[in-house]
Amino acid sequence: MTVTEARTSPGPDTRRPLRAGPPAKVRLRRAATPWLFLAPALLLFLYFKFIPMAQAVRMSFEEVRPFLGNTYVGGANYTEIAGSSDFGAAVWHTVVLAVATTAGSIVLGLALALLLEGQTRSLWFVRSAIFLPVVTAMAVVAEVWRVMYYPAEGGALNSVLSVFGLGPSEFLNSPDSSLASIAFVGVWRGAPYDMMIFLAGLAGVDRVLYEASAVDGASRFRRIWHVTLPGLRPVFAILLTLAAIRGLRIFTEVFLLTNGGPDGSTEVLLTLTYKLGLERNELGVAAAGTVLLFLVLLVLTVASRLRRREAR
Amino acid sequence: MRNETALGLREARGPWARAARFVLYTVLFVIFAGPLLALMVGAFTPTVDPTQFTLFPDRLSLDNLERAIDRGVLDYLLNSFIVVGFGLALQVLVSVFAGYALARKRFRGSAAVLVIVLATMTLPEEVLAVPLSVLLADLPVVHISLVGSLAGMIVPVAAWGFSILVMTEFMKEIPRELEESAKLDGAGEFRIFWQVVLPLCRPALGVIGIFGFTMIWDQYMLPLLVATDPAQYTLPLALRSMRSDDQVGIGVLLVGAFLAMLPSVLAFLALQRSFIRGLTSGAVKG
């Protein structure tokens, strides 16, 4: 932001004879221009991202007492949240959901992409239809699946199960199946997204290699194993990190499908911090949870950025 | 060209291959689009019970729609449109400005700004819920409360890292000569931005337009923190209270969900090309 900014072009004032003012003033204006264009974004980020984050860090070391003033409590909030069994369970559920949803979406998404690769009109139609869950708001998806999962005979999904002589399942209403039911919704919404990314990756695989493998008499399976999958390696790396980040910030679907129940069997990190902070008003402890989650997200993001740079 | 795809499915011809493909497409269609179609159908049948959720109803009716309108579904829809309208307009403006500075200007600190933009993407509303609820009630320095007003759902979504990055990447591709010649013609900074760079960004504007739209329409945590009265609910937020309507059953919920689904689905179908471009530029190229 200094006035003596290194520029490749020679003196700016020679270019604009009509606006020639004192050179220092012009140079100052030139240096200020990018910051004026950036100001709205930076101000909004400061207000709604960085100040809240700083407040979370501060609150995590305090006992927050509205109107009475906060008191410094050191690491007490951290020991409280890390030591609670709720937190341990929430971490476990978050990890299980993230891993199951990620693995399911990637495997299914790849299968869909391989099956639906191509340029014909019917393929385009099927791909668009499959993609609808991704653009539908999460709140709508959650409500639709609550109806689909109606836990008695005659419920939409239970009717399907009964055709195969199975069910009726309790789905969201039983601690045994609740987490799996949420993960299934995650795969349903995540697989089409992954499919689109894989399709973009498949378009980048060198066609000449397919021809060469055909000339060599390689089977379809060998062609996918030796040509397609290696070509998709950067896509896998990106999808894995994206999905891990998505998994950690899972909130809306759990909040709407089960709100952590039954018996806390689906409580995840963000439903737990939401309850701690906004329902039980233990803001300090909730802030400690926020900070811990943020640190994990930060590590994952940095890792994914480094990976992406390597992939290029 | 032979073997155009990884599986080489285009080679497969003949009635059996065609039938197998038809079955495959149908199964996939039912699994992924089926629940959403059943939702649409359910909104226009006299559905009162989850056991009546079906793709093939006996008759159609507008009863659910009438009840949902009585319950204020159109007011919630209007709230959603206000939030997405103002939020998206601001977001496009902010992203275009920021992208212009990051892509077209060389200045000290630009690398740091990019890192800041990337860092914001690890801080979504869901993660920040607790401190954000404290902050929205009393903004630092200006000491305004955004709680209880739609502005609280609009202003925070105005800056979104994804849109800024897409804009930056795109603006970098525009040849510098255009700018230089405009400068020789005596165009000022703002005219170059407005009349030279921006018109060339139309494809990128389509991308951030549709992604911003779906992102804001999908917002749940922020409205949840801001709304203090059902009168401020956006449609996605209102669904939760519609679900528990004992007198009329789930019909009202289905209408609400249908209306909450429609705009983003229509926008996607209309702007598919932009959407897929954004998906791949945001995820694959980073």
Side-chain angles (χ1 to χ4, degrees):
Chain A
M1 264 187 295
T2 47
V3 186
T4 51
E5 200 188 355
R7 295 195 64 93
T8 44
S9 56
D13 36 348
T14 53
R15 290 251 196 109
R16 292 198 207 166
L18 290 176
R19 290 201 186 180
K25 213 172 167 184
V26 174
R27 262 186 302 179
L28 183 68
R29 196 167 58 201
R30 288 213 147 192
T33 311
W35 296 101
L36 285 176
F37 277 101
L38 281 170
L42 291 178
L43 202 64
L44 286 163
F45 282 147
L46 181 71
Y47 256 83
F48 298 108
K49 303 284 180 194
F50 295 111
I51 292 179
M53 197 60 230
Q55 279 186 347
V57 173
R58 207 194 58 210
M59 272 160 52
S60 71
F61 293 107
E62 286 174 344
E63 187 190 347
V64 183
R65 299 178 305 170
F67 310 115
L68 293 171
N70 301 347
T71 47
Y72 179 78
V73 294
N77 290 327
Y78 286 94
T79 42
E80 187 178 340
I81 194 161
S84 77
S85 58
D86 288 352
F87 184 73
V91 171
W92 174 241
H93 297 150
T94 309
V95 170
V96 168
L97 268 184
V99 170
T101 309
T102 305
S105 302
I106 286 191
V107 170
L108 192 58
L110 179 62
L112 288 172
L114 289 173
L115 285 170
L116 301 177
E117 192 192 359
Q119 297 297 327
T120 59
R121 202 162 259 283
S122 56
L123 280 170
W124 169 87
F125 176 77
V126 177
R127 284 200 299 247
S128 304
I130 287 180
F131 199 70
L132 292 181
V134 183
V135 287
T136 305
M138 194 65 233
V140 176
V141 167
E143 296 300 342
V144 170
W145 278 95
R146 275 181 62 89
V147 179
M148 295 283 294
Y149 276 146
Y150 186 67
E153 262 174 86
L157 216 57
N158 272 325
S159 305
V160 176
L161 285 183
S162 72
V163 172
F164 300 99
L166 299 166
S169 168
E170 289 279 309
F171 294 115
L172 299 166
N173 279 16
S174 157
D176 301 327
S177 53
S178 52
L179 207 55
S181 302
I182 293 178
F184 184 81
V185 176
V187 173
W188 182 77
R189 202 182 187 227
Y193 178 90
D194 290 6
M195 170 190 79
M196 282 295 183
I197 310 277
F198 275 125
L199 281 171
L202 285 173
V205 176
D206 195 348
R207 301 272 168 264
V208 177
L209 292 177
Y210 287 160
E211 289 204 342
S213 71
V215 171
D216 292 346
S219 66
R220 258 179 209 168
F221 176 78
R222 287 181 64 100
R223 183 164 66 197
I224 288 174
W225 191 253
H226 293 293
V227 179
T228 312
L229 289 187
L232 290 175
R233 201 172 290 151
V235 182
F236 277 108
I238 289 155
L239 279 181
L240 278 174
T241 39
L242 274 180
I245 293 165
R246 245 189 297 166
L248 284 173
R249 53 181 279 206
I250 185 169
F251 171 78
T252 312
E253 47 268 62
V254 178
F255 183 74
L256 288 173
L257 282 170
T258 61
N259 198 12
D263 288 337
S265 61
T266 57
E267 198 78 85
V268 289
L269 279 168
L270 283 176
T271 54
L272 182 69
T273 51
Y274 180 84
K275 278 176 196 165
L276 279 173
L278 296 140
E279 285 170 14
R280 284 184 236 158
N281 231 0
E282 292 193 51
L283 290 169
V285 184
T290 303
V291 173
L292 290 178
L293 180 57
F294 169 69
L295 289 177
V296 180
L297 280 172
L298 193 68
V299 169
L300 280 173
T301 313
V302 171
S304 88
R305 279 284 133 193
L306 293 178
R307 275 251 188 91
R308 220 169 282 191
R309 199 167 295 168
E310 272 170 32
R312 260 181 220 185
Chain B
M1 193 193 290
R2 275 184 71 223
N3 299 331
E4 204 180 306
T5 64
L7 280 181
L9 283 184
R10 272 173 53 107
E11 295 166 74
R13 288 182 193 280
W16 284 111
R18 205 171 283 185
R21 230 175 312 178
F22 180 77
V23 171
L24 172 76
Y25 293 173
T26 311
V27 168
L28 293 178
F29 188 84
V30 168
I31 291 174
F32 287 98
L36 299 174
L37 288 180
L39 159 71
M40 287 192 213
V41 171
F44 295 102
T45 50
T47 325
V48 293
D49 195 274
T51 59
Q52 295 167 329
F53 200 56
T54 171
L55 273 174
F56 308 103
D58 299 333
R59 65 190 182 93
L60 299 173
S61 88
L62 292 175
D63 297 357
N64 291 333
L65 186 65
E66 280 170 29
R67 290 204 191 96
I69 290 172
D70 287 342
R71 286 220 38 182
V73 74
L74 294 183
D75 298 331
Y76 301 133
L77 189 64
L78 180 67
N79 282 347
S80 274
F81 274 124
I82 291 172
V83 170
V84 89
F86 284 97
L88 187 59
L90 283 175
Q91 193 186 93
V92 168
L93 208 63
V94 168
S95 313
V96 162
F97 278 147
Y100 181 71
L102 287 170
R104 313 298 299 177
K105 300 281 153 202
R106 259 182 252 152
F107 60 101
R108 242 180 249 179
S110 62
V113 173
L114 262 179
V115 170
I116 287 173
V117 174
L118 283 172
T120 61
M121 296 173 87
T122 62
L123 292 170
E125 285 72 30
E126 291 92 346
V127 175
L128 285 179
V130 171
L132 205 55
S133 72
V134 176
L135 178 121
L136 288 168
D138 178 25
L139 289 181
V141 184
V142 286
H143 293 293
I144 301 170
S145 171
L146 290 177
V147 171
S149 74
L150 294 185
M153 311 174 192
I154 293 168
V155 184
V157 298
W160 190 31
F162 174 84
S163 289
I164 294 177
L165 291 180
V166 168
M167 230 45 238
T168 307
E169 288 289 311
F170 191 87
M171 283 192 181
K172 272 184 187 157
E173 310 285 311
I174 296 170
R176 214 160 264 280
E177 289 76 36
L178 286 173
E179 216 175 301
E180 297 292 330
S181 63
K183 235 177 235 173
L184 287 179
D185 291 343
E189 189 67 54
F190 199 75
R191 263 188 68 191
I192 294 175
F193 167 74
W194 195 253
Q195 293 187 340
V196 179
V197 177
L198 209 52
L200 291 168
C201 289
R202 221 168 276 160
L205 290 178
V207 172
I208 67 168
I210 178 138
F211 270 84
F213 184 93
T214 34
M215 174 267 196
I216 300 172
W217 195 266
D218 204 8
Q219 282 283 323
Y220 198 88
M221 181 60 101
L222 194 59
L224 189 64
L225 297 177
V226 170
T228 49
D229 184 305
Q232 297 134 13
Y233 283 1
T234 57
L235 190 50
L237 205 58
L239 293 180
R240 195 165 181 242
S241 53
M242 292 176 155
R243 128 198 337 167
S244 53
D245 199 322
D246 291 331
Q247 283 141 23
V248 291
I250 63 160
V252 170
L253 167 72
L254 294 180
V255 170
F258 168 70
L259 291 176
M261 181 185 117
L262 206 55
S264 44
V265 166
L266 289 180
F268 163 67
L269 293 177
L271 292 166
Q272 275 196 54
R273 220 170 268 273
S274 295
F275 203 95
I276 286 154
R277 194 186 326 210
L279 208 64
T280 48
S281 78
V284 177
K285 285 189 220 136

